[in-house]
Structures are given as C-alpha cells and as structure tokens.
Amino acid sequence: MVRTIAIASGKGGVGKSSVSVNCSILLSKLGYKVALLDADFGMANCHIMLDQKVDNSLHDVLENGAAIENIIYETASGVKLIPGGSGILELLNLDASKRWQIINALNPLKSDIDFLIVDTPAGGSDASIEFAAACENLVVVLVGEPTSFMDAYSFIKAMYLEKNYARVSVLVNLSPSESDARRSYNSFKDIVTKFLDVELEYAGWLPNSSEMKNSILSRKPVVLQNKPNDKILNKNFNDVAKHLENLQPCSLTGIQFFSS
Ligand SMILES: Nc1ncnc2c1ncn2[C@@H]1O[C@H](COP(=O)(O)OP(=O)(O)OP(=O)(O)O)[C@@H](O)[C@H]1O
Ligand SMILES: [Mg+2]
C-alpha cells in the first residue's frame, strides 16, 4: 500500500515545496521508498531545490505519450522526483481529464514506493483541490499571519465541502518559537472547528531559518547538510517527518492515487 500525503496551504510562498522536499528526504532516510510529485504544474521547482536536471516532465506523458518511467528521476537525495514542468503554459490550466490522466499515470509506481508526497500549487484552483483530494492525508502549511489563516481556511473549507475531507494536519512555518506556533495553531483550530466539522492535528513547527534560505541558493536541502547549524530547524523537521510517518489515512471516496 502506498501512503499518499498532499502538502498544501492556500496562500503561496509559505513553504510547501521546502516542506515537501525535506520531508520526502527524511522519510527516505527512515528507510521508506519515496516519490515526490511536483504538482505545481507549469511552475514546478522541486527539481531546483534538489539540484536535479530534468529534461522531461508530465507534459511529455500528457502530450507525447511518454511512459511515467521515463520521467521519474532518481535524485541524489534518494527521493524519486516526478517533475511538474516549468514554463510550460499548457500545464497551467489542466482540465479534469488531464488531471485524471496524471493520477492514473502514476499507477505503475504502486509496487515501487511506500510514500507519495504531493507538492500542490498555491490557491484553491481545481488542480490544488483535486490533487490534494487524491491523497489520503493532507498537511496544510500555515504561517502566523491573517492572510495565511484566511487562505488556509478557504482551502480546508473547499476540501470539506467539495470532497468531504474531514481531517487535516497543520504545520506552522516561519514561527519565532514553539509557543508562538502553538498559539497560531490553536487560534486557527478555533476558527476551523467553529465553522467546519473538520478535525485538525498539529504536525509541528519550523523556525524562520537562514539555513533554509541558503539551502535554496546552494540547491542542497537543509536535511542533507553535513553539519546543520540550525539545530531547532533540523530537530523540528525530523519531528514533522515522524508525524507524517504515523498519520492514519482518511477514508475517502472519489478519485485517489493508486486506487485502480
Ligand atoms: N522555515 C523557513 N525559514 C526561512 N525561509 C523559509 C522557510 N520556509 C520557507 N522559506 C523560504 O520561503 C520561500 C518560499 O518557500 P517555498 O518555495 O517552499 O514556498 P511555497 O509555498 O512552495 O511557494 P509557492 O506557493 O510559490 O509554491 C523560499 O525562499 C524559502 O527558502
Ligand atoms: Mg512551491
């Protein structure tokens, strides 16, 4: 059984791709076989974070009949990367049949991996909702700002109303401290549970760390640094990965990865 986890946020730029890349690597370090689907189609950037040169993407599967095996990149980090394509306009607005084609195209991976991590695009587009709902667990990345709260709430509301998605993990990024992160999480949980019948779980928190910024510039994910300077960042990333490892799958109907 492949465990499938979507990383989403509503608001852009809050750390979805950083969390997806680093947590995929940590799950792989825990001994799991992990694939990372960069579902930010047309604006994909996980390959940059992983310093992986990619020649092909899902565009080649959709338009040129390429087999999924031809666009799976075995990265130096140990994670298999399925790139979403960058600068390819046709991928920006996938219709329902193309989204279904992508979800289906991953089926051959079923016997090869333990985890599929899906880095979803920002916003509440059909693509964000459909790819998140195709996973049995959802992690929403939040930062302690009203705009992030609003967008994360809207995203969870759409998942609940459109897909009956009723359990969500919340990771607080860019937090000054553990107590601040807990405060943000509790305030957010109050808002969500007041209006929606959705159960929230705390997935952990990450500090605002210069090491994270530098890792993008050096194209070496923080959890692969030999001598991590930011001990809190590293410990917390490991805690988040453990949370992902122990998530209980939600029971869902509708189109799911690896369900056929
Ligand atoms: N904990 C952190 N500390 C410092 N910088 C961070 C942290 N998390 C993310 N960043 C920085 O924030 C920026 C956005 O991160 P990232 O690309 O992971 O976000 P995203 O949610 O995937 O964005 P998008 O919505 O554009 O896909 C990057 O420059 C990244 O280095
Ligand atoms: Mg991203």
Side-chain angles (χ1 to χ4, degrees):
M1 276 288 287
V2 184
R3 309 263 313 276
T4 53
I5 304 174
I7 312 292
S9 66
K11 184 170 159 52
V14 297
K16 291 178 297 299
S17 300
S18 307
V19 167
S20 301
V21 164
N22 285 288
C23 287
S24 295
I25 295 170
L26 287 174
L27 285 168
S28 146
K29 280 185 166 185
L30 285 169
Y32 295 105
K33 287 177 275 177
V34 183
L36 169 60
L37 170 64
D38 194 339
D40 202 348
F41 302 115
M43 295 210 189
N45 52 26
C46 290
H47 63 287
I48 298 173
M49 294 180 172
L50 284 162
D51 200 17
Q52 175 66 51
K53 183 177 179 301
V54 299
D55 299 316
N56 300 309
S57 71
L58 282 163
H59 181 65
D60 298 280
V61 173
L62 293 176
E63 304 301 332
N64 307 329
I68 190 80
E69 289 83 357
N70 297 334
I71 63 142
I72 296 174
Y73 291 85
E74 303 281 350
T75 69
S77 69
V79 171
K80 294 177 196 292
L81 175 68
I82 305 162
S86 304
I88 301 173
L89 296 183
E90 296 92 317
L91 288 174
L92 289 175
N93 295 303
L94 294 173
D95 62 22
S97 75
K98 293 265 194 283
R99 294 195 296 269
W100 183 84
Q101 221 180 312
I102 291 175
I103 290 169
N104 234 13
L106 264 60
N107 279 343
L109 272 175
K110 197 171 185 170
S111 50
D112 292 346
I113 56 171
D114 302 306
F115 278 94
L116 175 72
I117 306 296
V118 180
D119 180 20
T120 68
S125 65
D126 288 348
S128 325
I129 302 283
E130 293 295 340
F131 283 98
C135 294
E136 61 192 9
N137 287 107
L138 169 62
V139 177
V140 166
V141 180
L142 190 74
V143 301
E145 295 167 4
T147 45
S148 171
F149 277 39
M150 193 64 223
D151 293 357
Y153 174 79
S154 302
F155 185 79
I156 292 172
K157 182 178 175 185
M159 290 291 287
Y160 174 66
L161 294 179
E162 290 180 28
K163 302 290 177 185
N164 282 323
Y165 218 101
R167 184 149 46 82
V168 178
S169 286
V170 175
L171 186 161
V172 183
N173 193 16
L174 295 163
S175 183
S177 67
E178 157 109 62
S179 54
D180 263 275
R182 283 275 178 188
R183 246 194 313 279
S184 290
Y185 170 74
N186 287 331
S187 310
F188 184 66
K189 185 176 179 176
D190 286 347
I191 299 168
V192 171
T193 50
K194 184 170 178 190
F195 297 107
L196 307 173
D197 192 12
V198 173
E199 193 187 322
L200 289 198
E201 285 180 62
Y202 183 61
W205 72 283
L206 299 172
N208 188 341
S209 167
S210 55
E211 210 158 311
M212 197 86 134
K213 284 256 175 242
N214 293 338
S215 77
I216 309 248
L217 296 174
S218 66
R219 300 188 176 201
K220 183 157 189 189
V222 277
V223 299
L224 286 177
Q225 310 282 347
N226 292 333
K227 286 194 181 153
N229 291 317
D230 193 331
K231 300 268 184 313
I232 297 179
L233 180 71
N234 265 275
K235 179 191 175 300
N236 292 11
F237 252 133
N238 278 285
D239 291 346
V240 174
K242 284 266 173 222
H243 175 86
L244 301 190
E245 184 188 20
N246 294 318
L247 279 172
Q248 291 304 311
C250 299
S251 58
L252 297 159
T253 53
I255 297 171
Q256 295 274 291
F257 284 106
F258 309 113
S259 61
S260 58

